[in-house]
Amino acid sequence: MPPSLDYGFKQLKDTNPYDPNKAKTLLAKSSWTDTNGDGLVDKNGQNLSLVLYTYTSRPELTLYAEAMQADYKKIGIDVQIKIVDYTMIDELIALAGFTLDATIARNAIINAQQILLDENATIFLGYPKINMIGKSYLKGIHTSPSEYYVITKDLKKE
């Protein structure tokens, strides 16, 4: 969740901050080195290559994936990007939707985020901002800090 929502952003602890030099050191300690000069680390003749999956419901994620691909290349890792239709992220957010108690919902979201960070199951790359511009005859637009669903059934032209 973006830091603009009150879901514990400041209390989350990321134990793996961005550190390319540490990454290179860890790769070398695990015997991943560039033995043939092609810019990619390898072990036993095999390049270290990863597949990064992103999903179609948030097209800006492809830009994040491309930036990540460039960063990984700097430390010698090949990253292939695959775009899929993936709804698991939406399902995680729905965890908090099963209760009317705001405290329980908030804690569910905080716990879900922390589990993802602890398990390295996902990487939070950023929080996009959306600028809203519209004509005065548009009614029913309500923005929120989550900026996820702007066009809804309540949007009307009057």
Side-chain angles (χ1 to χ4, degrees), residues 41-42 60 72 79 86 92 103 115-116 124-127 152:
V41 296
D42 56 87
E60 72 276 9
Y72 271 73
V79 174
Y86 188 60
L92 288 172
T103 301
I115 289 167
L116 290 171
F124 295 97
L125 301 173
Y127 304 98
T152 68

Side-chain angles (χ1 to χ4, degrees), residues 2-22:
S4 55
L5 293 176
D6 185 25
Y7 287 111
F9 183 83
K10 290 183 179 179
Q11 75 189 57
L12 296 171
K13 305 292 182 226
D14 186 355
T15 58
N16 296 297
Y18 180 74
D19 187 343
N21 290 327
K22 182 178 178 183

Side-chain angles (χ1 to χ4, degrees), residues 65-85:
E66 290 169 353
M68 198 168 149
Q69 182 182 47
D71 278 346
Y72 271 73
K73 187 174 183 179
K74 291 175 188 173
I75 61 170
I77 300 175
D78 176 50
V79 174
Q80 300 299 313
I81 300 169
K82 304 286 183 189
I83 302 170
V84 296
D85 184 15

